[in-house]
Amino acid sequence: RALISRVADRWRKSYLVSAFEGWVETHVETTRRKRIIGATMERAAQAKVRAAFRRWNEQTAELVRQRALLTRVANRWTHRLIQSSFDAWHEHAGVLRKQRALLNRVAGRWK
């Protein structure tokens, strides 16, 4: 009877040891999978952040390019307007010079 009791105890203990070892293996595997999934999710999140930053950077570069282009266009318009005003003044000054010369000739005849 003692022998049967010892055999039964060993069998129960081996069953408990086997169950515990199975639980440890499952726990270790579950922990490993969680770590892998967490790392994968982190990489995916970082990839989204990198992609968003890249898009922001590209859009900022495009805005800078457009602003420079608009500045050049505005400068051309301004210079064109200034040049047009200068040309009109120069032409008007030439007309006034001719008129003054004509008036001086006419006034010189009456002296």
Side-chain angles (χ1 to χ4, degrees), residues 46-63:
Q46 288 175 359
K48 287 181 181 181
V49 169
R50 281 192 306 270
F53 180 74
R54 193 177 311 116
R55 279 193 303 277
W56 173 81
N57 196 18
E58 290 168 357
Q59 289 173 348
T60 301
E62 178 62 18
L63 286 174

Side-chain angles (χ1 to χ4, degrees), residues 19-33:
F20 180 73
E21 287 174 348
W23 176 85
V24 168
E25 286 179 24
T26 302
H27 177 70
V28 167
E29 182 63 20
T30 302
T31 304
R32 186 184 73 81
R33 287 182 182 178

Side-chain angles (χ1 to χ4, degrees), residues 2-110:
L3 180 63
I4 292 175
S5 180
R6 280 193 315 217
V7 169
D9 283 344
R10 281 190 182 173
W11 181 79
R12 272 186 251 136
K13 285 180 184 177
S14 70
Y15 176 74
L16 287 174
V17 167
S18 176
F20 180 73
E21 287 174 348
W23 176 85
V24 168
E25 286 179 24
T26 302
H27 177 70
V28 167
E29 182 63 20
T30 302
T31 304
R32 186 184 73 81
R33 287 182 182 178
K34 283 181 181 179
R35 191 173 53 248
I36 290 170
I37 290 171
T40 302
M41 296 300 287
E42 183 67 27
R43 278 194 300 274
Q46 288 175 359
K48 287 181 181 181
V49 169
R50 281 192 306 270
F53 180 74
R54 193 177 311 116
R55 279 193 303 277
W56 173 81
N57 196 18
E58 290 168 357
Q59 289 173 348
T60 301
E62 178 62 18
L63 286 174
V64 167
R65 187 190 71 76
Q66 288 177 358
R67 185 172 289 149
L69 180 64
L70 288 175
T71 300
R72 285 193 351 237
V73 169
N75 286 339
R76 283 183 188 163
W77 284 349
T78 301
H79 289 109
R80 205 173 277 158
L81 179 62
I82 291 170
Q83 183 64 43
S84 173
S85 298
F86 178 77
D87 290 345
W89 172 81
H90 189 262
E91 185 179 332
H92 183 69
V95 168
L96 287 177
R97 202 174 321 116
K98 288 178 184 178
Q99 288 176 350
R100 188 174 292 127
L102 180 63
L103 284 174
N104 285 337
R105 278 196 348 234
V106 169
R109 287 185 187 169
W110 287 348

